[in-house]
Amino acid sequence: LRPVREITYHLEKLVADGTPTPYGDTGLVDLAVIDEHNFYSLERMFLPASDKNVIRIFKCTLTERVSDVTEYPSLKNAPGIVFVKKELVADLSDFTNKMNPPLLDNFEGMTFGPNLPNGNRTLIVVSDNNFRTNQRTVLIAFEIAL
């Protein structure tokens, strides 16, 4: 297999967590493809100083201007790179009041679920308990309003 196109996706910066210099891990953990030009992305951050997870879902669009970087040997100092267009659609911290206990954990999966009777789709995100007793598996279903 050969890639048809390679594109650039810009991860969000670490959020301020009350420490002088926030540090931690951030990453793109899953994608759910809507159509040829649109997809949802699931990003997560872990901030160890505050023992906090930040989980966000973005709607992304591949515009004509998004750079094809297939032939680039390196993106370091590459001029004029245009990234995938992103729009925040959900910050899971806004939904912790519906969780028991109200904590975000190791969310790393996302898929479309069944269509609802009103025709809207569902998007399901899942956390992984890492086979640990102090973590849990959580499923959250969102309705995607068309």
Side-chain angles (χ1 to χ4, degrees), residues 7-22:
I7 58 171
T8 51
Y9 179 96
H10 190 267
L11 287 171
E12 298 298 300
K13 292 182 179 182
L14 290 171
V15 298
D17 65 350
T19 59
T21 307

Side-chain angles (χ1 to χ4, degrees), residues 19 107 125:
T19 59
F107 281 86
V125 295

Side-chain angles (χ1 to χ4, degrees), residues 30 51 63 74 89 144:
D30 207 356
D51 194 27
T63 66
S74 170
V89 294
I144 302 170

Side-chain angles (χ1 to χ4, degrees), residues 16 18 53 65 69 84 87 95 98 119 126 135:
N53 287 291
R65 298 188 59 232
V69 296
V84 169
E87 174 189 358
F95 302 95
K98 298 184 183 300
V126 61
Q135 289 182 283

Side-chain angles (χ1 to χ4, degrees), residues 6-137:
E6 291 181 53
I7 58 171
T8 51
Y9 179 96
H10 190 267
L11 287 171
E12 298 298 300
K13 292 182 179 182
L14 290 171
V15 298
D17 65 350
T19 59
T21 307
Y23 68 95
D25 296 321
T26 184
L28 172 64
V29 293
D30 207 356
L31 303 173
V33 176
I34 301 167
D35 59 36
E36 188 175 328
H37 299 286
N38 299 282
F39 60 91
Y40 290 107
S41 65
L42 180 64
E43 290 187 30
R44 75 168 175 213
M45 296 177 198
F46 177 64
L47 307 167
S50 57
D51 194 27
K52 179 179 179 182
N53 287 291
V54 178
I55 315 293
R56 294 178 176 153
I57 300 171
F58 296 88
K59 183 176 181 194
C60 303
T61 303
L62 300 174
T63 66
E64 294 286 328
R65 298 188 59 232
V66 172
S67 300
D68 180 354
V69 296
T70 306
E71 302 299 324
Y72 285 59
S74 170
L75 297 182
K76 187 176 183 180
N77 301 321
I81 298 290
V82 177
F83 295 92
V84 169
K85 181 181 169 190
K86 292 171 37 177
E87 174 189 358
L88 179 66
V89 294
D91 183 331
L92 271 57
S93 63
D94 294 339
F95 302 95
T96 56
N97 63 338
K98 298 184 183 300
M99 298 177 195
N100 186 15
L103 300 169
L104 293 179
D105 207 332
N106 187 30
F107 281 86
E108 59 186 10
M110 175 172 63
T111 189
F112 289 107
N115 289 341
L116 298 171
N118 64 6
N120 289 344
R121 294 179 84 177
T122 57
L123 183 69
I124 300 170
V125 295
V126 61
S127 70
D128 177 12
N129 69 3
N130 292 314
F131 301 103
R132 295 183 179 158
T133 57
N134 64 337
Q135 289 182 283
R136 63 197 174 148
T137 299

